[in-house]
Amino acid sequence: MGERVLELRVHGVSNTPPDQTLGLRAEPGGNGPQPALVAGGRVTGFYRSTAAGPDDPIAVEAYSWGQLTSGARTARDVERALWTLLLPFTLANVALHARPEIPPDPDRERWASRSGIAAWLIRLFCLSLTATLAITMTGVGVDLIAWQCVDQDCLRHLPGPWEFLGHGWWRADAHALAVGLLLPLAVLAGLGMVAWRTYQYEAEMPAPPRPRPARRPTEAALPADQPPPLANPLQDPTFWCGEGQLRRAAVLHLCTAAAVAASVPLAAVLVMDPPRGVRAAVAWPTVAALAAVVGTAVVAVGRPYLTRRRGDTPLGRWSTAVGVLVGLGLTGTFVLLMMPDGPAGRPLSEFRPPAGCARAPDTPGCLADRSLPGYDTTVAWLATYQVLLLIAIGTVTRSGRQALLAPVAGAALLPLGVGWTEGGLPGAPAAPDGLETWMLAVPAIAVAATGLLLPPARTDAEQQPLGPHTGLAWGGRGPALIAGAGWMMAIAYSAGLLHLVAGRLDGAGPERVRPPLAVYWAGLAFAVALLVLAGTGIRAGLLFQELRRREYATLTAPGTVHHSAHDLRRCRDVSAYRALHRLVGEHAVWLVGCCATVAVVLATLCCAAALSGSHPSPEPATGWQAVVHTVADVGDMMLGWLPAVIAGLGLLVYRNDTVRRSVGVVWDIGTFWPRAAHPLAPPSYAERAVPELQTRVAGLLALAEHDPRRMDGVILSGHSQGTVICAAMLLQLPARWRRRIWFFSYGCQLTRLYGRIFPAYFGPDRLRVLAGTLTWPDGCVAWTNFWRPTDPLGWQVTAGERDVPVTDPEALHPSGGEVADPPIRNHSGYPEAVEFHRERAVVARLLRRTVPSPRQGVG
């Protein structure tokens, strides 16, 4: 049997069907060759053409992984639409992987290092996002429904028989709050069940990870059967196996969220009715249990218990302790809420809105703000400290741990200033009259933000970029920007839900059920943010037109033979794609940074406004106040529909190719990374795709010499996102198999996208590691990268591999009897290019060379 080479193609985010990946063309009557499953199953599989023969010198195989993110119609579409609601968690999880200077070996990362502190801050931020979800659902169930919506006229707007909460025993004391608390707990329970099911990707790893030795000897002392020291975090054998870590982190997040949800009604009741006697015996142990849950979580997110991936490991003592504490805290909360009012305070009914406002709107107190005491303040302070936490993340990832002084000072000065204005500080003069909390928020956040302006930290090794526009994105502030995008989306979701529920409960009557004050300012900020996005889009359009004019001038420069109107039209079409290529590669990161700068200012002003504690006047506004009210109302209305719009977009992402290529790329980039920071994010498809691809390649190369399925070499051919999957797999593969592999990448995003945003994995030094692992003993780098100047998502790599430019289009006119113009393929159709076929023929001859088989155990 002759020597054979396999070209294994891995598609990108467009979920190209196997027949198109294999290059099969439909024949009249539909009798042409079809893709046949040769390995795998319904969700992920390896396909070959039915026309392929066992003696073909080059066999072509397609790996289809798109079902992991798209799947079947209807059921999968609805599931994915629901997953989009967890996009804030996804972005927060991605921020962890955007840290610079992550050590190649996770065992060498220390908590006090730059990357270690950044990891703890990001995980702490992820925990606060889960608390935001809990507080939002608590606001709906406890504040809006069980506290403000107290009569039957209001409760009948809810689906279901909830009118019983408006009269009798349920309306007395805090009994209705206990019922309202069931809503956030039910949502958390449902989220936990869904998240538990999604660990199937992590649990279905085809091969267990190789055990990591307790300590790593020097390279000279390495035995023959031990892998060399890690040079890239993607080489960690447990990188794609984190089932145990996920389960432990999920328990911690859900228990913390439950404790936060219970603390909202508990704190309100304790403030309104200070406990004594039996109530005190129940209240204070409950407070201690809930505080212990939150304190344990803050400490645990920085411990190896949650930061090390060890495969399928048990939950451990931390999870058990937190579970027991939250159980005791919830039990004590429900017992306290079901007890009658104590003798120490006023009856709780005096703090609630009066009943009958729908029938008699003029009743005193109907138009007054009677939201749950302390809830508005809790929401405002949580959002403010999340902004300070984001600033701290950006500060430490850019300038190191020494730069934390600015955000820590801002976070410490704000509560001191509030204490000074409200009650005075010992030894300090009295605060000036008229000084309020919101006036101190802007200076405090501004002090913290000065840390973002410090010079970047010097690295141990100078990293030269891999060409122009491949330097570190956003000056090292990438984790804060990505996490901040998740925070803004979470705030938008929360504000929209609270506004939508409050509007539904109000019906057509007067405003008696009011969302928190932060919702009003969030709507105003959202409207302004849309204007900023529109301005950024206009700026991008102007840049595109300028780049297009330059490219057109180059194509039609003196000396070129373009005379006819047809030639000029084709030049205009080509110049549009080339301009888009330059716009994305050279200006997209800068445009996103401009939006982020404006977002920081908006977030600061919104936090200060929310801390003001005073609602806008319900009276009809005039002048500029009317304009502000109108803009805020429109923004709140759009926020109410935002979750539905995002979910609808997720529903269409795999049904419409245009939406898929423009929006789906963001989704697939986010869900590529394993859930190492937020366990409730959507599952990572790479947890299954990378090990499966590794198992397939190693299995074919390890077959016996006379096995008809055996391959002498493999051309690993990755397109777009498939390039990233292939790179991650190659770094996991033992060296003895890499010596029989050649890597083809096209539509490659490893430099100007992944390399800039995720420098610890695809930065200049880490991409050179990948090129080094593909270097043969004779010095040949087994990696070819194809790129087009018309591809908006594919660029050169220049990490030591061979970059091959692909002509696109092949010509301006039809030729060879064809009547249609050659297509402009931009991001697709690379395997059909002449340059691709020429390179594949050369590489196949190199892989067929008879070389001594590497000794078993090497690498």
Side-chain angles (χ1 to χ4, degrees), residues 393-719:
I393 292 171
T395 297
V396 72
T397 55
R398 172 176 169 81
S399 305
R401 59 185 181 182
Q402 296 83 359
L404 279 176
L405 178 61
V408 169
L413 291 175
L414 183 57
L416 290 177
V418 172
W420 179 49
T421 58
E422 294 184 355
L425 296 178
D433 295 336
L435 186 63
E436 299 181 7
T437 302
W438 65 272
M439 299 179 183
L440 302 174
V442 173
I445 296 178
V447 169
T450 56
L452 297 174
L453 306 178
L454 297 176
R458 294 183 177 273
T459 57
D460 296 336
E462 189 69 22
Q463 298 180 10
Q464 294 296 330
L466 301 175
H469 309 289
T470 59
L472 196 61
W474 306 301
R477 309 178 188 93
L481 188 146
I482 297 172
W487 174 78
M488 288 188 293
M489 185 165 287
I491 294 297
Y493 281 176
S494 301
L497 179 62
L498 290 169
H499 176 77
L500 197 63
V501 173
R504 175 66 181 272
L505 295 176
D506 268 344
E511 285 193 20
R512 60 186 181 278
V513 178
R514 297 185 179 180
L517 175 62
V519 172
Y520 174 86
W521 297 112
L524 184 61
F526 183 71
V528 176
L530 289 181
L531 295 178
V532 173
L533 287 177
T536 304
I538 294 173
R539 175 58 178 163
L542 295 176
L543 279 173
F544 173 76
Q545 294 298 331
E546 176 64 24
L547 294 172
R548 184 178 181 178
R549 283 193 295 268
R550 293 179 185 177
E551 293 296 334
Y552 182 76
T554 302
L555 292 174
T556 59
T560 58
V561 186
H562 302 312
H563 303 294
S564 66
H566 175 273
D567 291 348
L568 296 179
R569 178 183 59 81
R570 291 281 285 168
C571 287
R572 282 194 296 270
D573 295 340
V574 173
S575 65
Y577 285 101
R578 290 193 174 187
L580 185 60
H581 171 84
R582 293 187 57 187
L583 178 66
V584 176
E586 300 174 10
H587 301 281
V589 171
W590 175 78
L591 291 172
V592 173
C594 292
C595 289
T597 303
V598 178
V600 171
V601 177
L602 284 176
T604 301
L605 296 177
C606 283
C607 290
L611 288 173
S612 64
S614 58
H615 277 280
S617 174
E619 300 298 330
T622 58
W624 66 269
Q625 293 182 346
V627 175
V628 172
H629 274 260
T630 302
V631 173
D633 290 339
V634 172
D636 284 330
M637 182 182 64
M638 291 188 294
L639 282 177
W641 287 102
L642 182 64
V645 171
I646 297 296
L649 210 58
L651 190 67
L652 294 175
V653 120
Y654 292 91
R655 290 180 174 266
N656 184 283
D657 290 340
T658 302
V659 179
R660 175 75 179 113
R661 289 185 175 92
S662 57
V663 179
V665 62
V666 178
W667 178 258
D668 282 350
I669 290 175
T671 54
F672 168 79
W673 298 102
R675 294 175 285 184
H678 206 301
L680 305 181
S684 166
Y685 59 86
E687 294 272 8
R688 182 168 173 179
V690 171
E692 280 189 351
L693 193 61
Q694 175 185 353
T695 302
R696 178 64 175 170
V697 171
L700 290 175
L701 294 176
L703 292 173
E705 184 176 356
H706 300 289
D707 194 307
R709 299 169 298 170
R710 183 181 185 272
M711 295 293 170
D712 292 278
V714 172
I715 300 176
L716 192 61
S717 180
H719 172 238

Side-chain angles (χ1 to χ4, degrees), residues 464-472 751-752 756 764 768 796-799:
Q464 294 296 330
L466 301 175
H469 309 289
T470 59
L472 196 61
T751 50
R752 299 199 186 184
R756 302 189 71 181
R768 294 187 181 105
Q796 305 97 313
V797 176
T798 63

Side-chain angles (χ1 to χ4, degrees), residues 369-414:
D369 179 17
R370 292 297 186 92
S371 58
L372 187 69
Y375 181 72
D376 286 20
T377 304
T378 301
V379 172
W381 279 100
L382 176 63
T384 301
Y385 269 86
Q386 283 177 328
V387 171
L388 292 171
L389 190 56
L390 288 170
I391 292 175
I393 292 171
T395 297
V396 72
T397 55
R398 172 176 169 81
S399 305
R401 59 185 181 182
Q402 296 83 359
L404 279 176
L405 178 61
V408 169
L413 291 175
L414 183 57

Side-chain angles (χ1 to χ4, degrees), residues 96 106-107 109-112 116-117 119-121 123-124 245 248-249 252 295-310 317-319 322 676-677:
L96 182 75
D107 286 339
E109 184 175 63
R110 298 295 177 261
W111 184 90
I117 294 178
W120 178 70
L121 292 174
R123 288 190 172 96
L124 194 61
Q245 181 198 37
R248 295 191 299 268
L252 194 65
T296 302
V298 171
V299 175
V301 293
R303 301 283 297 172
Y305 164 80
L306 288 178
T307 59
R308 299 293 183 267
R309 301 172 70 80
R310 298 296 186 187
R317 296 188 300 271
W318 289 78
S319 300
V322 170

Side-chain angles (χ1 to χ4, degrees), residues 9-22 42-45 47 62-73 76-77 80 652-662 664-665 667-668 685 719-722 725 827-828:
R9 297 179 179 176
V10 184
H11 64 77
V13 299
S14 58
N15 190 21
T16 308
D19 55 340
Q20 296 183 20
T21 305
L22 294 172
R42 181 182 60 85
V43 178
T44 58
Y47 295 83
Y63 175 53
S64 178
W65 56 270
Q67 296 281 347
L68 293 175
T69 54
S70 62
R73 297 285 183 171
R76 275 279 185 166
D77 288 343
R80 184 178 53 255
L652 294 175
V653 120
Y654 292 91
R655 290 180 174 266
N656 184 283
D657 290 340
T658 302
V659 179
R660 175 75 179 113
R661 289 185 175 92
S662 57
V665 62
W667 178 258
D668 282 350
Y685 59 86
H719 172 238
S720 190
Q721 186 68 14
I725 295 176
H827 192 56
S828 61

